[in-house]
Amino acid sequence: MIVRRNFLRLAAGFLFASLSTTSYAVGVEPMLRMKTVTYRPRLPNWPDGLRLRLVLLADFHACDPWMSAARIASIAEKANSLQGDMVLLLGDFLSGMRLCTGHVPPEDWAAALSGLSAPLGVHAILGNHDWADDHEAMARGKGPLLAQRALEGIGVPVYDNRAVSFEKDGHRFWLAGLGDQIGPLRPMDDLPGTLAQVSDDAPVILMAHEPDIFPGVPARVAITLSGHTHGGQIRLFGRSPFVPSRFGSRYIRGHIIEGGRHLIVSAGLGMSGIPVRFGAPPEIVVVELGGDAAA
Ligand SMILES: [Fe+2]
């Protein structure tokens, strides 16, 4: 009798722990534990006197109830409060997750993002899910993509292998954005063609949805900004069972310096595959360039 009672207690405890962990990973961490992470990289050859504050939003994966239009609007409000000079949207607006209660139409998530504002504007690239989960574009084998039309409809330019120059504090700089590296019909990125548009020595900030491009990015680029990995989305004992990168965990998230070249990877905001985040909370990333401190 005592053995049976102990077994039932143990089973109940195990069940409670399992349910608690599951509800944390499904409901609490992905929905309630959003962080703001700030990086202050000290970049070689960055012009003295050019201070630039960038707010990065990556991997929304809009779908109810995990990333509703209302939640996207509240993230936009938070992003505005961070007072960036620019807001950069790093792709994967769409979601193909089956474990959703509803689809968020592109015009709805775009309307939620239309509240974003920054003195030097809001700028976007697209990700692999903006192709893979746009079934009409996939069937046609070409764009324009739903996500691109939705963003352009709210006045947000989409950088598809394009570089544009800006000026701040009396200094020029370039913002460049790549087409998606996966496609998934075929790779859409053209790094040489994008950098060929850079017509002077001013620093280049490169938006690339997947960080896998980084080993091939020349030192001419001051910094590369990526998302896509979700920080692994699930981390157990310091490891992620699956990272969508051919380099494994090398570019999973954070500030990476290789050969004097700088990469920042956001853990993103939403989820793909399964509606779980564990040990990889959603984040808004702030990048401060040209300040005094290094991070
Ligand atoms: Fe992605």
Side-chain angles (χ1 to χ4, degrees):
M1 193 65 171
I2 289 173
V3 171
R4 183 162 176 261
R5 195 178 299 147
N6 285 343
F7 173 76
L8 288 174
R9 273 192 194 139
L10 191 67
F14 181 73
L15 185 64
F16 179 74
S18 300
L19 288 173
S20 301
T21 305
T22 302
S23 53
Y24 173 82
V26 173
V28 177
E29 180 165 314
M31 310 284 279
L32 302 172
R33 288 206 50 215
M34 189 176 77
K35 303 190 297 179
T36 300
V37 182
T38 302
Y39 299 97
R40 300 181 182 88
R42 181 167 291 177
L43 305 178
N45 306 318
W46 188 260
D48 287 341
L50 173 55
R51 296 188 70 131
L52 205 52
R53 183 172 165 87
L54 309 172
V55 175
L56 316 185
L57 303 174
D59 308 293
F60 278 102
H61 294 293
C63 73
D64 286 323
W66 318 113
M67 189 59 75
S68 64
R71 185 165 178 226
I72 292 171
S74 81
I75 291 170
E77 202 173 308
K78 171 69 181 171
N80 284 343
S81 76
L82 297 169
Q83 300 187 312
D85 298 303
M86 274 183 166
V87 177
L88 305 180
L89 308 177
L90 298 180
D92 274 3
F93 300 88
L94 301 193
S95 169
M97 187 155 53
R98 291 186 182 164
L99 295 168
C100 287
T101 58
H103 174 65
V104 179
E107 58 271 25
D108 289 3
W109 58 251
L113 290 175
S114 66
L116 285 169
S117 70
L120 293 177
V122 183
H123 309 268
I125 54 171
L126 301 178
N128 55 310
H129 279 270
D130 301 319
W131 278 99
D133 299 322
D134 183 338
H135 304 300
E136 288 178 17
M138 289 292 285
R140 282 196 307 272
K142 61 180 184 178
L145 296 174
L146 286 171
Q148 177 158 0
R149 282 190 294 208
L151 289 162
E152 290 175 349
I154 57 164
V156 173
V158 174
Y159 290 57
D160 184 12
N161 300 316
R162 193 155 65 95
V164 176
S165 69
F166 292 84
E167 192 169 325
K168 181 171 183 276
D169 304 331
H171 294 276
R172 270 162 71 88
F173 70 94
W174 292 82
L175 179 66
L178 292 184
D180 190 67
Q181 295 155 59
I182 296 174
L185 291 168
R186 59 190 174 277
M188 301 289 181
D189 59 306
D190 179 2
L191 180 59
T194 304
L195 296 182
Q197 298 163 44
V198 174
S199 57
D200 60 25
D201 294 337
V204 178
I205 296 164
L206 177 66
M207 301 183 284
H209 178 68
E210 295 91 353
D212 283 18
I213 193 88
F214 186 57
V217 175
R220 171 68 185 87
V221 171
I223 190 164
T224 303
L225 306 172
S226 295
H228 181 66
T229 61
H230 301 185
Q233 198 169 305
I234 297 170
R235 286 186 69 72
L236 298 167
F237 310 110
R239 289 175 169 269
S240 292
F242 175 71
V243 183
S245 166
R246 64 194 158 97
F247 298 105
S249 293
R250 182 163 147 190
Y251 305 132
I252 190 168
R253 78 173 278 277
H255 179 198
I256 296 116
I257 306 172
E258 291 182 353
R261 300 166 311 113
H262 291 246
L263 166 70
I264 286 175
V265 182
S266 168
L269 294 154
M271 298 171 284
S272 58
I274 54 172
V276 169
R277 270 188 183 259
F278 189 80
E283 64 185 22
I284 297 178
V285 169
V286 176
V287 180
E288 293 183 355
L289 301 175
D292 295 328

